[in-house]
Amino acid sequence: MLDEKVAALINTQINKELYSAYLYLEFANRFADAGLNGFANWYTIQAQEERDHAMLFLKYLQNNDGKVTLGAIDAPVTDAQSHLDILKAGLKHEEYVTSLINAIYDAAHSVKDYRSMQFLDWFVKEQGEEEMNANDLIKKWELFGSDARGLYMLNQELAARVYTAPSLVLD
Ligand code: FEO
């Protein structure tokens, strides 16, 4: 039986991950509108990954006799104006998600819930990758974004991203 607080935080995280998917679809739309389909592809795949994360939290709760309560997903909110602002908003959002994962980990740790800690280990590592990827996009834009040929190549690179299912599988 999961601790009440741990279960509540995991349930909330389902919503947070689905919101992340929504936010990245918004980013994808913004880039698609600008004709940068490679960036749009990158964020569309990112949104797919966020839906996977939501499903992993949902499944974990179900597998551990927790109650799943789905709430409304907020409309995506961003004050990002430029393309670089969007990329920076992506990094800021991932840092926020990392803080959420850490808070669940703290709650699990405080009640010696080793099973949840082990489950969350995958997300701790994943957040490291998510932040690194978001940072990488910012650096690349700063290097190549102001040069038309550089931006074209970068867009092509991001167009090649393909979806891969998460390495964590819960039966
Ligand atoms: Fe689900 Fe981008 O973290």
Side-chain angles (χ1 to χ4, degrees), residues 111-127:
V111 294
K112 295 188 166 57
D113 178 358
Y114 301 112
R115 187 189 303 163
S116 293
M117 287 161 68
Q118 190 187 46
F119 165 68
L120 290 164
D121 278 341
W122 186 86
F123 286 94
V124 171
K125 183 165 178 278
E126 174 74 4
Q127 281 313 117

Side-chain angles (χ1 to χ4, degrees), residues 1 6 19 29 36 65 128 161:
M1 193 75 179
V6 174
Y19 175 80
N29 288 339
L36 289 167
D65 207 24
R161 183 183 185 189

Side-chain angles (χ1 to χ4, degrees), residues 21-73:
Y22 231 36
L23 182 67
Y24 291 145
L25 282 180
E26 169 73 15
F27 290 178
N29 288 339
R30 299 267 293 266
F31 281 112
D33 285 347
L36 289 167
N37 61 339
F39 284 83
N41 173 62
W42 197 92
Y43 276 112
T44 301
I45 290 171
Q46 195 61 29
Q48 273 180 282
E49 285 197 358
E50 301 302 351
R51 289 196 292 275
D52 289 340
H53 296 168
M55 290 308 294
L56 285 167
F57 281 108
L58 184 147
K59 192 76 190 162
Y60 181 78
L61 212 45
Q62 286 179 337
N63 285 359
N64 288 278
D65 207 24
K67 182 164 165 47
V68 176
T69 308
L70 297 176
I73 303 164

Side-chain angles (χ1 to χ4, degrees), residues 31 39 82-89 91 133-148 150-151 154 158:
F31 281 112
F39 284 83
S82 69
H83 297 315
L84 180 57
D85 285 346
I86 295 173
L87 303 181
K88 287 182 174 173
L91 175 59
N133 291 339
N135 226 334
D136 193 50
L137 282 184
I138 294 168
K139 282 185 189 153
K140 283 181 172 167
W141 185 280
E142 285 174 342
L143 279 170
F144 310 117
S146 58
D147 171 70
L151 181 57
L154 181 53
L158 299 182

